[in-house]
Amino acid sequence: MATTKEYSIRERVLDKYLHSGKGYTRKELQAFVNKELERRGYPPVTARITILNDLREISNKYNVVIDNVKKGRFVYYSYHDPDFSIYNTGLSDEDFDQITEAIEVLKRYQGIPKISWVDELAARLETSIHNQTRPIIMFEDASYNQGMEFFVELYEFISQKRTINLEYQDFKHTEPKAFVVFPYLLKQYNNRWFLFGRRKGHFKHTIFTLDRIVSITPSDEPFEDTTVDLTKYFDDKVGVSEMKGEHEAYDVVFRVPEKQKPYILTKPLHKSQKFISDDGEYAVFSLHVQDNFELQGELLALGELVEVLSPQSLRDEIRSRWEKCMAYYEK
């Protein structure tokens, strides 16, 4: 079955002329198709069999009769039912399921202004077709998290490159603090959203958690853009945070029992993860990442199923945190 973009264009053009009721030859249909392909920058159809195969595909796909009436030396093609068009047909169950899945994926970004049409499209689909009895795909919902009321506003400020006044309440202070911030990026990790930006007068960038933002207002300060390549900035990080004084990525080597090897292979801790070896008892892996809170959290979450082998500093840190944890249970 043809699935290319070119076929989609050919199908639409053929449907238009088959639906006209006039009847056209294969050569005429091919000329109509090539005119549209050329307009869109695609190569023309050169083989006569291509159009004939397309007609057969349309007939089979939409269960429609295409008449081929011979007049003199030429055969003219048209729909047997002049009222038929592929755009007048209802959605099949397969079509509906595919559209539903696509909408569920798009709804992950609910609230972003540029795709606010998704909710309306979903409502129209659900109103017109009621044969869906249960969800096909399901994501975690972060819309109830504190701070999400600022999401759309921050999105607009970032897209417009506008400076903001940000009032922020972190966990270290009893009162919120006010900053002038140049916002650059919204990033999600572990079902929480973070604002990546830079405070006025500071060289280093800062990560602000949305659930700790108290208020946001526009600032009259000129916007200062970032020189950081945001497409690569998080490549060597698990999560979003950065340890004080630690900015270089290094190799982290760890091992897990052999029976955990498939789990780690299929769910890597980071995209840099590599399988090194196994001896039948343990499987050894490596990561190339910066040390940060999220990395340690991922390793600690595996509990007794992982042992950090190197570097020694990270091994000591994980052991120290486990000892503090065990102290709670020794009382």
Side-chain angles (χ1 to χ4, degrees), residues 104-264:
E104 288 302 317
V105 172
L106 288 170
K107 285 173 74 174
R108 295 187 71 184
Y109 306 95
Q110 184 179 21
I112 296 179
K114 293 186 184 297
I115 58 171
S116 58
W117 50 267
V118 170
D119 287 336
E120 181 181 353
L121 176 60
R124 289 184 178 184
L125 182 66
E126 290 164 4
T127 299
S128 59
I129 304 175
H130 302 283
N131 67 338
Q132 190 63 29
T133 58
R134 60 184 176 86
I136 297 171
I137 187 169
M138 186 177 291
F139 297 101
E140 291 185 7
D141 182 10
S143 61
Y144 55 81
N145 287 0
Q146 185 175 331
M148 288 305 293
E149 65 269 24
F150 300 116
F151 185 91
V152 172
E153 196 172 9
L154 283 169
Y155 176 94
E156 292 287 7
F157 284 131
I158 294 171
S159 64
Q160 296 168 11
K161 294 189 174 181
R162 295 184 62 187
T163 308
I164 60 174
N165 297 311
L166 187 146
E167 193 176 7
Y168 193 73
Q169 174 69 69
D170 61 30
F171 294 144
K172 299 178 181 178
H173 302 89
T174 57
E175 297 294 329
K177 291 189 174 183
F179 307 109
V180 175
V181 175
F182 310 115
Y184 302 134
L185 178 74
L186 286 163
K187 180 173 174 60
Q188 188 180 35
Y189 173 72
N190 199 24
N191 212 32
R192 298 177 78 191
W193 282 95
F194 300 84
L195 170 66
F196 177 79
R198 183 167 59 83
R199 291 163 53 187
K200 180 186 175 184
H202 289 247
F203 175 75
K204 290 184 60 177
H205 294 80
T206 304
I207 295 288
F208 301 95
T209 311
L210 261 62
D211 58 32
R212 301 179 204 171
I213 294 176
V214 177
S215 67
I216 298 171
T217 56
S219 170
D220 293 330
E221 292 285 343
F223 184 82
E224 296 178 14
D225 211 342
T226 182
T227 58
V228 171
D229 185 350
L230 296 178
T231 62
K232 299 179 179 179
Y233 182 79
F234 295 96
D235 280 358
D236 59 1
K237 295 180 179 65
V238 175
V240 298
S241 71
E242 196 170 76
M243 301 282 271
K244 288 186 177 180
E246 298 290 338
H247 305 291
E248 295 297 325
Y250 52 39
D251 289 331
V252 175
V253 181
F254 65 95
R255 69 178 186 176
V256 298
E258 180 68 21
K259 65 180 181 180
Q260 294 300 126
K261 176 182 173 182
Y263 176 81
I264 299 298

Side-chain angles (χ1 to χ4, degrees), residues 7 10 26 34 61 64 67 74 80 83 104 140 163 166 201 206 230 235 243 260 264 266 273 299 321:
Y7 171 75
R10 299 198 308 267
R26 187 274 312 164
N34 284 340
K61 183 178 178 181
V64 59
D67 289 336
F74 300 102
H80 182 75
D83 295 326
E104 288 302 317
E140 291 185 7
T163 308
L166 187 146
T206 304
L230 296 178
D235 280 358
M243 301 282 271
Q260 294 300 126
I264 299 298
T266 56
Q273 180 175 295
L299 293 169
R321 293 183 65 174

Side-chain angles (χ1 to χ4, degrees), residues 18-71:
L18 292 171
H19 176 64
S20 69
K22 179 180 177 182
Y24 293 92
T25 67
R26 187 274 312 164
K27 190 174 182 179
E28 288 174 324
L29 292 173
Q30 187 167 328
F32 295 142
V33 165
N34 284 340
K35 183 178 180 179
E36 183 65 14
L37 288 172
E38 181 182 7
R39 188 179 74 83
R40 293 175 174 269
Y42 291 101
V45 171
T46 56
R48 64 183 297 275
I49 194 65
T50 300
I51 298 300
L52 296 177
N53 286 339
D54 287 347
L55 294 174
R56 189 179 303 110
E57 176 74 21
I58 291 173
S59 179
N60 293 334
K61 183 178 178 181
Y62 299 102
N63 194 28
V64 59
V65 176
I66 298 177
D67 289 336
N68 51 92
V69 179
K70 190 171 183 179
K71 298 179 182 178

Side-chain angles (χ1 to χ4, degrees), residues 277-319:
S277 65
D278 72 63
D279 59 8
E281 185 177 3
Y282 292 99
V284 180
F285 295 86
S286 72
L287 309 171
H288 188 72
V289 291
Q290 294 185 30
D291 185 11
N292 64 4
F293 179 82
E294 290 94 328
L295 169 65
Q296 294 185 20
E298 292 282 356
L299 293 169
L300 288 166
L302 290 170
E304 76 282 6
L305 300 177
V306 64
E307 178 188 359
V308 175
L309 302 177
S310 66
Q312 188 64 43
S313 58
L314 180 59
R315 179 180 172 90
D316 291 343
E317 179 64 23
I318 295 297
R319 182 177 59 222

